[in-house]
């Protein structure tokens, strides 16, 4: 289906303010430690970079990539690891950083996968939580925004690989609106 950019759901200023708050909260919770942010490519790349800079501690970052089979606006539920971390997380305070949780299947898979590597602690920070879409229970430690079940792009999120470069989070709508 053809789609076009619609209204802004969350502006760049709102994102920036919330990312600052999240970084401060993580800074308080991890006082005296050096958290390792694990960003989940590709969607969380932009958020991870901003969040790391908002944390007032000596922090580190690494990335892994997963893919849920199939294209389109819904994840299929089948998760595949396509690129692994460069660093060992053994004994580290790890915070998984995701752009969006939908069904919860991706993060559930990642949590299980990373837990087997013996981190000192394992937490989850997500920018956008589509709570109403949840199929798998997930404990989220830090949430940016709870959003409705709408397809959003921008700030790292894409549709068919595009729009990740938008500074705001916008709703993607059908190109032809019936009246
Ligand atoms: C998105 C998002 C999560 C996943 C969430 O990734 O980044 O990883 O979907 O969906 P779930 O909770 O239903 O599993 P996407 O497949 O769009 O890949 P991308 O990050 O490379 O854009």
């Amino acid at each position: 289906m053809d789609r076009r950019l619609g209204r802004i759901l969350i502006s760049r200023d709102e994102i920036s303010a919330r990312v600052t708050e999240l970084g401060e909260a993580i800074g308080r919770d991890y006082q005296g430690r050096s958290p390792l942010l694990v960003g989940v490519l590709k969607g969380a790349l932009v958020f991870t970079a901003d969040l790391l800079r908002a944390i007032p501690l000596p922090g580190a970052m690494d990335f892994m990539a997963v893919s849920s089979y199939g294209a389109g606006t819904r994840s299929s539920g089948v998760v595949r690891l396509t690129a692994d971390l460069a660093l060992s997380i053994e004994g580290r305070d790890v915070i998984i950083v995701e752009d969006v949780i939908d069904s919860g299947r991706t993060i559930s898979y990642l949590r299980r996968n990373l837990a087997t590597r013996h981190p000192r602690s394992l937490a989850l920070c997500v920018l956008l939580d589509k709570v109403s879409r949840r199929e798998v229970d997930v404990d989220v430690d830090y949430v940016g925004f709870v959003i409705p079940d709408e397809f959003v792009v921008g700030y790292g999120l894409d549709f068919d690989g595009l729009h990740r470069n938008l500074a705001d989070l916008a709703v993607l709508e059908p190109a032809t609106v019936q009246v």
Side-chain angles (χ1 to χ4, degrees):
M1 184 199 295
D2 285 341
R3 289 176 177 262
R4 64 172 183 81
L5 287 175
R7 72 184 193 285
I8 290 175
L9 185 69
I10 305 173
S11 73
R12 65 194 74 190
D13 290 346
E14 292 171 305
I15 296 168
S16 174
R18 189 71 187 117
V19 170
T20 298
E21 290 175 352
L22 290 171
E24 288 170 354
I26 290 170
R28 286 192 297 274
D29 295 348
Y30 288 80
Q31 196 71 47
R33 293 188 269 165
S34 301
L36 169 60
L37 303 190
V38 169
V40 184
L41 297 173
K42 298 172 185 167
L45 173 66
V46 176
F47 178 40
T48 305
D50 283 349
L51 182 64
L52 185 68
R53 286 178 288 182
I55 298 173
L57 295 171
M61 68 176 170
D62 199 355
F63 292 93
M64 58 199 306
V66 291
S67 159
S68 41
Y69 286 103
T73 58
R74 298 287 185 206
S75 62
S76 65
V78 181
V79 181
R80 184 168 56 108
L81 185 64
T82 56
D84 208 342
L85 299 171
L87 304 173
S88 166
I89 62 168
E90 187 171 352
R92 300 296 302 268
D93 291 302
V94 173
I95 304 174
I96 305 171
V97 182
E98 260 289 24
D99 54 341
V100 59
I101 299 182
D102 191 319
S103 70
R105 294 186 189 283
T106 303
I107 198 60
S108 175
Y109 166 83
L110 282 171
R111 261 216 145 125
R112 271 184 278 119
N113 181 299
L114 293 182
T116 65
R117 307 183 194 196
H118 308 295
R120 177 179 172 187
S121 63
L122 187 57
L124 170 62
C125 178
V126 60
L127 180 67
L128 307 173
D129 193 350
K130 288 187 182 177
V131 173
S132 65
R133 294 270 308 157
R134 195 75 88 252
E135 295 171 19
V136 177
D137 272 346
V138 180
D139 287 332
V140 188
D141 302 277
Y142 304 95
V143 180
F145 303 92
V146 173
I147 61 167
D149 182 19
E150 293 189 282
F151 197 88
V152 293
V153 296
Y155 199 67
L157 285 78
D158 75 307
F159 177 66
D160 277 355
L162 299 177
H163 305 307
R164 295 191 197 274
N165 52 316
L166 284 176
D168 307 297
L169 280 155
V171 176
L172 204 64
E173 296 173 342
T176 317
V177 179
Q178 303 289 332
V179 287

